[in-house]
């Protein structure tokens, strides 16, 4: 490929499209299902229940400290599948590219998708590329869709929270959102924050092995911790109480949020999960989490209570309390 | 976090609360936190529920978004709609409803409205887009205005001709005076703004204790700051010796930030200003000096704005004066929500209504 930028012809379905697929997409993603290049991917399925999820990625900037839109697109859908207790298997990837996009940037993103797929242990088995006129899209949008298999006896859902469950988080909150905003707004903080963007399916597999009594799993992406806890509290009709002094947040994130007027509890994460689990199994699960690199800083941050129903309550450091409500509108635009 | 966690120490908080209990008089005392950031801090840390019965905190007019009159919002929207304009603003202003639209709606209709974190970012946009004219919507009190003065000084020095300011800057002490003169609420003391005072110092408040006999304590924004300020106010009330005290000593000096004051004075002059809810208050605003008038967006662009009445039923005015609380407004929660704000106090994250909205399910916040 001599041209160094994506042109409309790359998405036209003709010879340039074929070349783009054969030269840019196929080599890194090559697998027996994909390389057939039929209109749809065909594969066998196991018995049992399947999980199916889709998500579009429009993050700005597309390259950010700790990742890029490609890694995000793989990890995001892998994590959505993992949050229902599924073992992610196959993903499709659909790219909308703005005319003029640099080919070397596309290749860098594809390489990053490849690496994230390898880490997660999934295959990309179907894909599509469209090119739109300059201004028709902001550089690059990616949609990934995935399927996964849910093991026998696993029942994980936002409606399953029970009074007495403890709430565990697998590490520091807010890294992704603050990394993105610092990059986008050219805020030069002394320490470089890195997005936590990571596939969590292996961590979830370890946790599921350790306990059969995990009730809820959620990844606090857009809207952060508070949003997912509110979703769970409402779906299950319970209250959730969390303790300000127990919530792991890095100094840099706290500092940046204090300055910018954000609440880190609402800031997006891309490599974090929350677990609601019966208290008896909490230690077991924490132990396996601590052994996984994405769970090293796992901590109990709260518990499920009966009242106030459908409410998330924060016990503040000084002994007061406040209700943590759903965010109205977006705290940060286009973080994923 | 260093310099933050120290001010959230639960043991010290307990001690201060014990002190506050010891000083609480039999009659009810109303203390007004003037600044919106204090309102947020009070709710964020759950301070109201920790205070003894009889110590009431009222929110004041210190949210710059909330006190910007509708006419100014309408003007901003009209300016943003002119051809070849990039309209830059702090994020909070974008949702504030004018008489029939908002900057957010203008943006959705394709007008070039951009959120910036600093007026210097707006100046950068102007430089990067020499063929367009960039307007910055300058709102805020003494905390914000010096940085905008610096930006204009720089623009002037660099000879930038495509950068303009729509100035809606306001001054805090005259608003406190207006509230006292109106005598609508029985105020026993002011929790005075910390950040404003880093610029102006403590002297501009002296008239409040001297002429009105109302105690003032300039407070920081961490929970221990606020609790200590309440303690100091109650002590002044008990001793019947009203004065201006600085609790926020780590940032505020009696003389303030002289350099910032000089910069302000270079670019702006004091003028009368119209406040949403409070009306026109003498000497309470800032307008550009003659030497800087070429940057004045109101002079550079001719837009006609009709004055329009406040939305029917909206109590933002009374709420800004501390006369009413949001739960007393018939629109609150029912028709006016953060998704569909009717008055400005529901828009800003520092607005009293928006803050109350977050907690409206709690009975204990329905008291004053």
């Amino acid at each position: 490929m001599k041209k160094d930028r994506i042109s409309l012809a790359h998405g036209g379905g003709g010879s340039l499209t074929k070349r783009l697929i054969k030269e840019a997409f196929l080599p890194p993603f090559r697998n027996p299902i994909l390389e057939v290049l039929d209109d749809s991917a065909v594969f066998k399925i196991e018995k049992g229940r399947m999980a199916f999820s889709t998500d579009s990625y429009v993050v700005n900037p597309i390259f950010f400290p700790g990742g890029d839109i490609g890694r995000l697109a793989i990890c995001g859908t892998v994590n959505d599948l993992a949050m229902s207790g599924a073992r992610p298997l196959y993903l499709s990837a659909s790219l909308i590219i703005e005319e003029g996009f640099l080919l070397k940037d596309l290749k860098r993103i594809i390489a990053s998708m490849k690496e994230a797929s390898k880490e997660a242990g999934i295959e990309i088995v179907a894909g599509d590329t469209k090119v739109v006129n300059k201004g028709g899209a902001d550089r690059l949008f990616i949609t990934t869709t995935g399927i996964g298999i849910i093991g026998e006896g696993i029942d994980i859902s936002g409606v399953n929270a029970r009074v007495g469950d403890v709430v565990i988080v697998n590490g520091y909150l807010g890294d992704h959102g603050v990394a993105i905003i610092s990059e986008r707004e050219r805020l030069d903080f002394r320490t470089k924050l890195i997005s936590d963007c990571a596939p969590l399916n292996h961590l979830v597999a370890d946790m599921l092995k350790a306990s059969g009594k995990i009730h809820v799993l959620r990844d606090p992406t857009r809207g952060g911790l508070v949003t997912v806890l509110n979703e769970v509290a409402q779906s299950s009709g319970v209250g959730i109480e969390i303790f300000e002094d127990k919530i792991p947040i890095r100094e840099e994130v706290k500092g940046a949020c204090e300055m910018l007027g954000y609440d880190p509890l609402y800031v997006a994460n891309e490599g974090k999960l929350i677990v609601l689990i019966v208290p008896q199994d909490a230690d077991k699960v924490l132990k396996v989490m601590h052994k996984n690199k994405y769970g090293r800083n796992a901590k109990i941050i709260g518990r499920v209570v009966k009242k106030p129903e459908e409410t998330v309550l924060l016990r503040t450091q000084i002994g007061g309390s406040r209700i943590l409500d759903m965010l109205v509108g977006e705290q940060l635009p286009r973080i994923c | 976090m260093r310099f933050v966690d120290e001010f959230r120490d639960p043991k010290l908080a307990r001690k201060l609360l014990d002190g506050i209990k010891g000083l609480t008089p039999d009659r009810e005392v109303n203390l007004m936190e003037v600044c919106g950031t204090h309102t947020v801090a009070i709710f964020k840390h759950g301070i109201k529920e920790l205070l003894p019965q009889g110590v009431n905190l009222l929110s004041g007019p210190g949210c710059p978004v909330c006190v910007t009159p509708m006419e100014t919002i309408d003007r901003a929207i009209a300016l943003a709609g002119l051809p070849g304009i990039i309209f830059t603003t702090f994020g909070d202003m974008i949702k504030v409803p004018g008489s029939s639209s908002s900057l957010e709606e203008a943006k959705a209709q394709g007008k070039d409205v951009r959120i910036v974190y600093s007026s210097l970012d707006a100046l950068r946009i102007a430089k990067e887009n020499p063929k367009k004219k960039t307007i910055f919507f300058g709102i805020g009190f003494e905390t914000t205005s010096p940085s905008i003065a610096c930006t204009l000084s720089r623009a002037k020095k660099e000879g930038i001709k495509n950068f303009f300011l729509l100035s809606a800057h306001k001054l805090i002490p005259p608003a406190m005076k207006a509230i006292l003169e109106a005598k609508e609420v029985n105020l026993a003391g002011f929790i005075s703004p910390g950040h404003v005072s880093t610029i102006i110092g403590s002297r501009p408040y002296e008239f409040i204790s001297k002429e009105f006999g109302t105690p003032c304590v300039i407070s920081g924004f961490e929970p221990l700051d606020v609790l200590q300020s309440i303690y100091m106010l109650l002590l002044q009330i008990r001793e019947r010796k009203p004065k201006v005290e600085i609790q926020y000593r780590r940032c505020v000096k009696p003389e303030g930030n002289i350099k910032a004051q000089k910069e302000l004075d270079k670019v702006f002059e004091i003028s009368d200003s119209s406040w949403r809810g409070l009306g026109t208050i003498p000497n309470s605003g800032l307008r550009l000096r003659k030497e800087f008038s070429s940057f004045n967006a109101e002079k550079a662009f001719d837009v006609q704005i009709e004055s329009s009445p406040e939305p029917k039923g909206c109590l933002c005015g009374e709420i800004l004066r501390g006369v009413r609380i949001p739960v007393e407004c018939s629109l609150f929660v029912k028709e006016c929500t953060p998704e569909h704000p009717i008055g400005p106090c529901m828009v800003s994250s520092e607005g009293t209504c928006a803050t109350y909205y977050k907690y409206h399910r709690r009975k204990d916040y329905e008291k004053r």
Side-chain angles (χ1 to χ4, degrees):
Chain A
M1 254 175 284
K2 277 180 199 135
K3 294 175 81 178
D4 61 345
R5 286 179 187 275
I6 294 289
S7 68
L8 285 172
H10 279 112
S15 62
L16 258 184
T17 311
K18 297 237 152 35
R19 261 173 73 182
L20 185 69
I21 293 169
K22 289 226 158 128
E23 289 177 25
F25 289 99
L26 204 50
F29 296 147
R30 186 175 291 280
N31 62 64
I33 304 172
L34 180 69
E35 67 191 358
V36 181
L37 293 180
D38 275 340
D39 280 356
S40 54
V42 179
F43 48 83
K44 283 195 176 134
I45 49 162
E46 300 169 32
K47 268 197 287 185
R49 292 190 303 148
M50 287 178 77
F52 180 52
S53 183
T54 187
D55 212 335
S56 294
Y57 299 85
V58 298
V59 65
N60 170 28
I62 51 178
F63 296 102
F64 49 83
D68 55 55
I69 191 169
R71 181 174 174 80
L72 194 64
I74 300 299
C75 297
T77 295
V78 162
N79 292 346
D80 281 346
L81 292 169
M83 293 311 124
S84 33
R87 180 164 54 89
L89 293 176
Y90 303 123
L91 256 62
S92 73
S94 177
L95 282 75
I96 294 174
I97 311 172
E98 186 187 17
E99 179 188 14
F101 191 77
L102 282 175
L103 202 57
K104 74 171 173 48
D105 283 350
L106 182 65
K107 287 192 167 167
R108 196 174 144 197
I109 287 161
I110 292 170
S112 156
M113 290 173 80
K114 161 76 186 165
E115 201 190 302
S117 305
K118 206 173 145 195
E119 189 186 348
I122 57 101
E123 303 277 14
I124 293 174
V125 294
D128 182 45
T129 307
K130 293 281 185 317
V131 180
V132 296
N133 281 317
K134 189 102 195 144
D138 190 0
R139 284 162 298 163
L140 173 65
F141 297 156
I142 303 179
T143 301
T144 52
T145 303
I147 60 161
I149 300 291
I150 301 175
E152 199 74 28
I154 293 172
D155 176 22
I156 289 168
S157 162
V159 302
N160 288 348
R162 296 289 170 267
V163 174
D165 284 357
V166 295
V167 181
I168 298 173
V169 64
N170 66 323
Y172 292 102
L173 292 173
D175 294 4
H176 176 74
V178 173
I180 294 277
I181 196 80
S182 328
E183 186 71 16
R184 185 167 57 209
E185 302 299 334
R186 310 181 212 176
L187 308 171
D188 291 323
F189 293 119
R190 206 179 307 156
T191 39
K192 196 91 181 160
L193 258 176
I194 290 179
S195 163
D196 59 353
C197 179
L200 299 174
N201 53 324
H202 300 308
L203 174 66
V204 170
D206 292 349
M207 290 158 58
L208 288 169
K209 236 182 266 169
S211 167
K213 289 173 180 159
I214 291 175
H215 288 155
V216 181
L217 283 170
R218 279 286 159 109
D219 55 341
T221 53
R222 266 181 312 180
L225 175 75
V226 173
T227 304
V228 291
L229 290 180
N230 268 292
E231 285 165 6
V232 173
Q234 284 166 21
S235 302
S236 296
V238 294
I240 297 176
E241 188 177 61
I242 56 173
F243 302 94
E244 196 172 31
D245 56 352
K246 299 265 194 308
I247 303 168
I249 302 170
R250 286 182 211 279
E251 297 286 292
E252 303 93 292
V253 171
K254 276 191 202 173
C257 286
E258 288 282 339
M259 258 195 284
L260 297 169
Y262 296 133
D263 186 336
L265 301 180
Y266 291 90
V267 173
N269 310 276
E270 289 294 343
K272 290 292 152 353
L273 55 78
I274 59 139
V275 197
L276 272 66
I277 183 171
V278 292
Q280 303 86 299
D281 279 11
D283 281 347
K284 255 195 298 193
V285 165
L286 273 172
K287 218 166 143 192
V288 300
M289 290 178 85
H290 289 152
K291 281 187 193 153
N292 185 300
K293 71 169 168 177
Y294 296 129
R296 217 170 279 150
N297 299 305
K299 263 180 97 178
I300 294 178
I301 58 162
R303 57 182 181 183
V304 177
V305 291
K306 200 167 174 192
K307 288 208 163 159
E309 281 165 16
E310 300 188 18
T311 301
V312 180
L313 203 66
L314 179 79
R315 296 283 171 204
T316 66
Q317 224 165 320
I318 61 156
S321 68
R322 68 173 157 132
I323 290 179
L324 296 172
D325 246 334
M326 287 276 205
L327 203 59
V328 178
E330 288 249 30
Q331 200 174 220
L332 306 170
R334 280 178 58 193
I335 39 192
C336 60
Chain B
M1 184 172 28
R2 271 188 77 202
F3 309 125
V4 171
D5 284 333
E6 292 91 329
F7 298 97
R8 296 180 183 176
D9 183 289
K11 277 188 204 137
L12 289 175
R14 200 35 58 207
K15 257 192 185 164
L16 280 168
L17 281 164
D18 287 343
I20 288 171
K21 268 181 203 126
L23 286 173
T24 301
D26 300 333
R27 62 188 173 88
E28 298 239 317
V29 283
N30 294 325
L31 307 177
M32 176 175 278
E33 83 271 2
V34 178
C35 174
T37 313
H38 278 138
T39 308
V40 171
I42 286 160
F43 280 106
K44 184 175 169 193
H45 301 287
I47 290 174
K48 269 197 181 183
E49 67 177 58
L50 297 172
L51 292 177
Q53 196 87 33
V55 179
N56 303 327
L57 298 180
L58 303 181
S59 307
C63 156
V65 172
C66 307
V67 296
T68 303
M70 197 139 73
E71 196 199 317
T72 311
I73 312 277
D74 285 343
R75 186 175 296 278
I77 297 164
L79 288 170
L82 294 175
I85 294 290
I86 301 173
F87 195 88
T88 58
T89 172
F90 292 133
D92 263 8
M93 287 312 279
I94 195 152
K95 278 191 179 174
V96 182
S99 55
S100 62
S101 178
S102 67
L103 286 168
E104 190 177 44
E105 276 172 41
K107 185 170 189 273
Q109 285 161 12
K111 311 296 180 216
D112 196 348
V113 177
R114 303 187 195 178
I115 293 176
V116 291
Y117 286 94
S118 145
S119 51
L120 284 170
D121 291 342
L123 185 61
R124 176 170 52 78
I125 290 172
K127 286 197 257 182
E128 287 170 358
N129 297 277
K131 285 183 186 153
K132 293 196 161 182
K133 290 173 174 173
T134 298
I135 302 175
F136 178 71
F137 195 0
I139 67 153
F141 302 113
E142 294 91 330
T143 331
T144 334
S145 39
S147 70
I148 290 156
C150 291
T151 302
L152 285 172
S153 286
R154 186 184 288 186
K156 189 170 182 188
K157 205 170 145 197
E158 295 181 7
I160 293 165
K161 303 266 185 257
N162 65 330
F163 181 70
F164 303 91
L165 176 76
L166 175 60
S167 174
H169 293 288
K170 304 213 180 309
L171 304 172
I172 279 286
M176 292 164 76
K177 187 178 182 196
I179 284 171
L180 287 169
E181 279 173 345
K183 290 185 186 155
E184 291 177 305
V185 276
N186 185 13
L187 277 187
F190 281 114
I191 300 172
S192 301
H195 293 150
V196 163
S197 308
T198 55
I199 305 294
I200 64 172
S202 60
R203 283 168 200 151
Y205 305 99
E206 296 284 344
F207 73 91
I208 293 175
S209 54
K210 284 195 183 119
E211 288 172 33
F212 295 89
T214 307
C216 277
V217 173
I218 296 166
S219 174
F221 298 90
E222 290 302 322
L224 291 189
D225 291 323
V226 175
L227 289 174
Q228 189 182 22
S229 300
I230 294 171
Y231 177 84
M232 289 164 79
L233 282 170
L234 292 175
L235 200 62
Q236 284 194 38
I237 293 166
R238 164 160 305 183
E239 291 174 349
R240 293 170 201 274
K241 281 183 189 153
K243 56 192 164 192
V244 180
E245 288 183 291
I246 305 173
Q247 180 279 332
Y248 198 27
R249 281 177 190 280
R250 61 189 185 279
C251 291
V252 178
K253 290 179 282 184
E255 69 277 14
N257 180 337
I258 308 272
K259 205 174 168 188
Q261 290 168 21
K262 277 190 182 151
E263 194 63 31
L264 256 184
D265 191 50
K266 191 175 106 190
V267 177
F268 292 104
E269 59 191 2
I270 290 173
S271 65
D272 294 353
S273 182
S274 163
W275 295 56
R276 205 162 191 166
L278 297 167
T280 297
I281 304 175
N283 301 321
S284 70
L286 292 175
R287 72 168 168 235
L288 284 169
R289 284 190 184 276
K290 229 186 244 147
E291 300 87 309
F292 286 85
S293 62
S294 62
F295 294 101
N296 188 342
E298 289 186 65
K299 287 195 178 148
F301 306 97
D302 186 30
V303 287
Q304 293 302 317
I305 305 300
E306 285 169 30
S307 69
S308 37
E310 291 290 322
K312 219 176 162 190
C314 174
L315 289 189
C316 278
E318 279 98 324
I319 288 160
L320 289 167
R321 303 198 298 273
V323 182
R324 303 279 201 98
I325 59 171
V327 289
E328 290 168 357
C329 177
S330 64
L331 304 177
F332 182 68
V333 179
K334 292 181 195 88
E335 284 167 66
C336 183
T337 64
E339 286 110 334
H340 301 286
I342 291 172
C345 299
M346 189 55 98
V347 179
S348 167
S349 57
E350 294 190 359
T352 307
C353 295
T355 315
Y356 266 75
Y357 181 87
K358 284 196 197 160
Y359 308 94
H360 73 270
R361 286 181 276 159
R362 302 277 312 257
K363 278 276 170 262
D364 41 342
Y365 290 122
E366 287 182 17
K367 70 172 191 186
R368 291 219 159 192

